[in-house]
Amino acid sequence: MTKYVGAIDQGTTSSRFMVFDEGGAVISFAQKEHRQILPRPGWVEHDPEEILGHVFEAAGAALGRINLSAKDLAAVGITSQRETTLVWDRRTGRPLCNAVVWMDMRTASLVHQFAKDGGQDRFRAKTGLPLATYFSALKLRWIFANVAGAFEKAQAGEALFGTMDSWLAWHLTGRHVTDVTNASRTMLMDLLSCDWDDELLGAFGIPRACLPEICSSSQDFGAILASPLAGTRLAGILGDQQAALVGQTCFAPGEAKNTYGTGSFMLMNTGTVPVQSSAGLLTTLAYQFGEAKPHYALEGAIAITGALVQWLRDNFGLFEHAAEIEALAAGVPDNGDVYIVPAFSGLFAPYWRDDARGVITGLTRFATRAHLARAALEACAFQVRDVAEAMQADSGILLASLKTDGGMVGNDLLMQFQADILGVEVVRPRLRETTALGAAYAAGLAVGYWPDLLALRENWGVERVFTPAMEVVRREGFYRNWKKAVERSFGWVEG
């Protein structure tokens, strides 16, 4: 019997390949960072061919480290950054332009243009999403308007649209596919039918001929044809945050997780019926396994958390390595009344303000680099509380605890402050990188490597629980000042 399952984890800053065993343990992994291309303020692009090459390199390196080959894998799953939009030539497989990344702001004028007729929520009933620069439809419309020949080729079926999962799947198997979770982030899919919607396609001016087939998150997509994975099956596709929800085994309504990465994303499983948000959250697909009914989720998407740490490192040289921020921040007992609102790309949930820009408030001569470091970590936790309160308002479910994952959860100071500011326990699992695990689970379920969801639940385990220790009066004072700082960020961009 084949012993392992592989996962491609294609993220905003890097691409990884991970190999898991039946117990969900990581047997091997390799990672390659890619460039962040910043042609103008607010614009963020990736080179799709660079990413594709890195995926193949990482897969070969991860397998080579433990002397495995593709034949040792029962299946491979893909999880990837969502909303990032690209168009490529069907004949050559070459991209027509760089990928427009999910945090890119170039479509702000289109958002205002579309919102004039029906408001920011004009498509929310069908898509679960507000009009925002975040989602793929307006990015694709921008490409069609600004890349010579792109629209005409797409209309003729000669150019293909996809998010990063589709780009990878096409080069791995030759099939033009996506799954329900990624499709639900395009603003072109009807939440109930889980199919492309003609009214939405007409409104955004998107030809159906360029769109991928929408599939389940867990099914056999076919044999992988490209080395070093040639011969195994591609059997799972999930958007990165939905993959983390699956990796955290949040299969029951009310179960929630938060992933701390470049941004942060809290998802709560709401079952087989979508819950429309009135508190600034997104209604999205959580997953669909095979022919079973799709499950839905409420999501709070935060644009900048880990990226704020990178910004302090790269733009200000506050420290050399991101991990050093914890010791620096621990050098002061509190934030010294300094608050950072990292609205570099506007503010996402629950505010949805693309007119906001980053601010640092409360500065005095008392403030030091340690206060800035602490304020950066606390900004992550404050934004998560904003989302948690909106989620409780929409769902009617009080958050009893929060499962966490992602690159920042190794920071004990952040995790403790998160518990303090939420007033609930914060749970760190044994395996922190649950995004790749979720993709592996989807693939393994499809080929029978894991028999059912119960087997996946049995793999999940706790490394540490952070218990709130802050007095309520102090907690609410911090949060009140945070809300004042957020208000200061509004209205910076006019028009």
Side-chain angles (χ1 to χ4, degrees):
M1 177 180 174
T2 307
K3 296 180 180 178
Y4 307 111
V5 174
I8 295 167
D9 181 359
Q10 200 297 294
T12 306
T13 58
S14 67
S15 300
R16 299 184 301 170
F17 190 85
M18 305 189 81
V19 181
F20 295 91
D21 68 10
E22 192 175 0
V26 179
I27 301 305
S28 183
F29 81 97
Q31 181 172 355
K32 290 276 293 184
E33 288 193 8
H34 55 264
R35 292 173 297 143
Q36 305 298 307
I37 302 168
L38 310 171
R40 298 186 192 177
W43 290 29
V44 186
E45 299 177 356
H46 290 159
D47 178 346
E49 293 185 304
E50 179 187 14
I51 286 175
L52 182 65
H54 286 182
V55 165
F56 289 142
E57 286 180 45
L63 293 173
R65 283 176 182 171
I66 51 174
N67 200 28
L68 296 182
S69 67
K71 70 177 186 299
D72 297 302
L73 300 177
V76 170
I78 294 174
T79 180
S80 58
Q81 52 173 314
R82 307 166 303 172
E83 299 94 18
T84 295
T85 301
L86 61 155
V87 178
W88 66 95
D89 187 288
R90 180 192 291 272
R91 183 179 59 84
T92 66
R94 300 289 304 277
L96 301 190
C97 59
N98 282 335
V100 181
V101 178
W102 58 270
M103 67 176 74
D104 185 282
M105 296 284 290
R106 74 186 65 187
T107 58
S109 61
L110 286 174
V111 170
H112 296 304
Q113 178 185 320
F114 274 79
K116 284 179 182 176
D117 183 13
Q120 193 173 18
D121 289 335
R122 63 181 284 195
F123 301 117
R124 187 184 279 274
K126 272 194 176 181
T127 67
L129 311 174
L131 279 165
T133 59
Y134 187 17
F135 308 109
S136 305
L138 290 179
K139 298 181 193 298
L140 182 56
R141 185 181 174 98
W142 186 93
I143 290 172
F144 286 158
N146 291 275
V147 177
F151 178 76
E152 292 75 15
K153 287 184 176 180
Q155 202 170 31
E158 296 170 4
L160 305 178
F161 153 73
T163 43
M164 200 58 70
D165 60 299
S166 296
W167 166 253
L168 295 176
W170 194 83
H171 280 279
L172 290 170
T173 68
R175 290 188 63 188
H176 188 211
V177 293
T178 189
D179 90 302
V180 291
T181 67
N182 285 288
S184 74
R185 314 299 292 199
T186 62
M187 219 169 191
L188 299 172
M189 190 193 85
D190 183 287
L191 279 175
L192 293 176
S193 69
C194 292
D195 198 3
W196 305 120
D197 182 83
D198 287 332
E199 181 185 352
L200 295 169
L201 296 180
F204 289 109
I206 307 300
R208 184 178 282 268
C210 72
L211 301 177
E213 176 189 357
I214 301 176
C215 301
S216 158
S217 310
S218 176
Q219 67 177 64
D220 189 340
F221 294 97
I224 295 177
L225 308 173
S227 179
L229 299 174
T232 193
R233 313 299 293 185
L234 177 63
I237 298 177
L238 283 162
D240 53 6
Q241 303 312 318
Q242 288 91 339
L245 190 77
V246 171
Q248 291 272 32
T249 66
C250 294
F251 299 132
E255 293 186 323
K257 69 86 197 174
N258 189 66
T259 299
Y260 299 79
T262 304
S264 283
F265 303 86
M266 185 186 292
L267 272 73
M268 176 185 284
N269 189 327
T270 61
T272 56
V273 177
V275 174
Q276 289 289 350
S277 174
S278 59
L281 301 181
L282 311 177
T283 305
T284 194
L285 266 292
Y287 53 81
Q288 182 183 19
F289 297 145
E291 298 298 321
K293 287 184 177 180
H295 277 241
Y296 295 86
L298 283 170
E299 175 177 335
I302 301 165
I304 302 293
T305 50
L308 177 56
V309 177
Q310 294 171 329
W311 179 73
L312 290 177
R313 179 196 66 191
D314 298 340
N315 292 40
F316 287 88
L318 232 59
F319 35 81
E320 188 174 353
H321 302 289
E324 295 170 7
I325 192 172
E326 182 175 8
L328 180 59
V332 289
D334 56 40
N335 62 14
D337 205 32
V338 175
Y339 293 81
I340 301 177
V341 182
F344 300 156
S345 302
L347 287 171
F348 287 8
Y351 304 103
W352 298 107
R353 295 288 297 255
D354 61 16
D355 64 338
R357 284 297 179 270
V359 298
I360 303 175
T361 64
L363 288 174
T364 65
R365 290 190 67 181
F366 174 72
T368 67
R369 56 198 289 268
H371 290 111
L372 286 174
R374 192 173 187 105
L377 294 179
E378 292 182 358
C380 303
F382 285 131
Q383 290 181 99
V384 170
R385 174 164 170 180
D386 287 343
V387 167
E389 293 203 342
M391 198 162 281
Q392 289 174 167
D394 275 334
S395 67
I397 300 170
L398 289 177
L399 196 66
S401 66
L402 182 66
K403 292 180 176 181
T404 63
D405 56 70
M408 297 184 76
V409 299
N411 187 311
D412 289 350
L413 189 152
L414 170 60
M415 292 294 97
Q416 183 59 53
F417 188 78
Q418 186 70 85
D420 288 340
I421 210 67
L422 284 175
V424 301
E425 290 183 344
V426 169
V427 181
R428 185 164 67 196
R430 284 197 306 261
L431 180 67
R432 301 173 189 177
E433 298 294 347
T434 55
T435 303
L437 181 60
Y441 279 165
L445 284 171
V447 298
Y449 183 80
W450 287 288
D452 51 34
L453 300 186
L454 179 60
L456 307 185
R457 281 194 179 276
E458 290 174 349
N459 284 345
W460 190 83
V462 176
E463 184 211 274
R464 181 172 173 183
V465 176
F466 295 84
T467 303
M470 186 180 289
E471 294 178 358
V472 173
V473 172
R474 193 160 184 253
R475 171 197 307 152
E476 296 310 310
F478 279 135
Y479 190 58
R480 191 163 51 248
N481 285 345
W482 163 256
K483 298 293 277 188
K484 285 197 298 184
V486 169
E487 289 176 9
R488 303 296 195 274
S489 76
F490 293 162
W492 186 263
V493 178
E494 298 178 0

